[in-house]
Amino acid sequence: MCNRQAEVKGEAMIEGARVQKLRQAFANVFGGAPDLVARAPGRVNLIGEHTDYSDGFVMPMAIDRDVLVAVRRRADSQIRLHSVDFGGVSQLHLGAPVARDGMRTWSNYPRGVVHILLDAGAPLGGFDLAFTGNVPSGAGLSSSAAVEVATLQALDALFGLKLPTFEKAKLGQRAEREFVGVACGIMDQAISAAGVAGHALMLDCRSLETTLVPMGAGIAVVVTDTSVVRGLVDSKYNDRRAECEAATAHFARTRSDVIALRDVTADEVHDAADALGPVVARRARHVVTENARVLSAVAAFRAEDLGEVGRLMVASHASLRDDFEVTVPELDLLVELACAQPGVLGARMTGAGFGGCTVAIMPTDAVAGYVDSVVPAYEARTGLTPRVFTCEASDGASVVG
Ligand code: ADP
Ligand code: MG
């Protein structure tokens, strides 16, 4: 049992060896060496959930798991894409509109990036690209944003595009929204592009202004995947967006400066409860109180009051459970077990919900106890085996070789 954490950590091979392995895979598939290798991390959101599409505040950190992309220019206008992890090569030609690949769906993320870069007028030529990653896919740690941002980082360097950091984030988001077809906010691509080691980032999703939030020493960020198979996420996510828009429309009728729920106070939501109806009022209350919790968390981190950060995380979870209604019993159970564990300062669901992961903060020396107690207790109650990832706050995208 004591080895569980080590098992999961052991999956993360040291960066140099992974880059070397990718170079080898590139050579096996395309022959010769890549011109360069770039990386971009996954992320975990510490607090500020379901606020991004209301122009609100979020506080993600980039994690020490990433996607590596190796690229080499070609003299012609062919593009060849290879996934080391999924296998296969997907090809396209710069002369034709970029189409989706229905067979090799992993290629739609780099294809989306190519499509958006061309749409933005970037001077691309042909290239060969191979990529690999250790961000668990579909667990809510945003492997898709890592693929997009790593691809953008690699092509930026290969073709000398000189894209500013947040331009990469916006282009990655557009690739996911307009090409892959997932209506995501800007958070995932922004933190993957702009993360800073040792820090979380408070991101204003309206202005894209960021505030560096020092994490402090000796604090562990522990992500636990419920291993619940997520269903109906897209439709429920769209329902929540529509409910937030309905609330916004109500306030905008009397206040022309209201563009999103970001612009509304908790008192206004309280006073409008009857007009909004019980469901929409609860959704709006989550958004406005969650935005306030993010700002409080910035202050608490700065004051090195991690106990307060933990309390804000627990309050965030309760709001997501009771007002926004995006948790499932397994997420509630994991948070309950985590909070009962000695040393754990706070825990909450993270990501879109309806399954996925929790995030907990605790002193580093409490992690072993968490793994030894919470994991078997969760298994016994649910029959599901959770995966635990101990994450360090890492730098955003870069060229690594
Ligand atoms: P999440 O972003 O939460 O991890 P998504 O469903 O948005 O989950 O994205 C997962 C998809 O991203 C995978 O199904 C795959 O198509 C692509 N992807 C992620 N990591 C890799 C990888 N290492 N290699 C190839 N494709 C990947
Ligand atoms: Mg994703």
Side-chain angles (χ1 to χ4, degrees), residues 164-321:
T165 301
F166 281 105
E167 194 54 32
K168 279 177 232 153
K170 285 181 191 168
L171 291 166
Q173 183 201 20
R174 281 189 60 198
E176 183 135 357
R177 289 177 74 105
E178 295 172 30
F179 193 85
V180 180
V182 177
C184 60
I186 188 69
M187 169 170 72
D188 302 351
Q189 291 81 6
I191 187 67
S192 183
V196 177
H199 295 76
L201 231 62
M202 199 274 273
L203 177 70
D204 178 333
C205 294
R206 171 170 286 166
S207 67
L208 293 189
E209 236 174 84
T210 56
T211 306
L212 268 183
V213 182
M215 295 290 296
I219 194 80
V221 174
V222 180
V223 175
T224 308
D225 185 354
T226 56
S227 300
V228 171
V229 179
R230 291 198 269 186
L232 296 174
V233 184
D234 290 347
S235 67
K236 293 199 173 172
Y237 181 83
N238 289 337
D239 288 349
R240 294 300 179 278
R241 288 188 75 124
E243 287 156 355
C244 290
E245 279 161 23
T248 304
H250 169 82
F251 292 107
R253 276 200 282 277
T254 48
R255 274 187 52 200
S256 59
D257 59 327
V258 172
I259 295 164
L261 276 178
R262 151 76 176 276
D263 303 310
V264 175
T265 65
D267 284 347
E268 284 174 301
V269 171
H270 180 263
D271 293 346
D274 286 346
L276 292 172
V279 172
V280 173
R282 284 206 304 278
R283 307 298 188 245
R285 184 167 61 184
H286 166 71
V287 174
V288 298
T289 58
E290 185 76 351
N291 278 333
R293 280 186 288 271
V294 176
L295 299 179
S296 299
V298 175
F301 266 117
R302 290 220 167 118
E304 296 180 26
D305 186 353
L306 294 172
E308 177 63 6
V309 174
R311 283 188 288 278
L312 291 162
M313 290 171 74
V314 173
S316 166
H317 184 83
S319 179
L320 288 156
R321 181 191 59 213

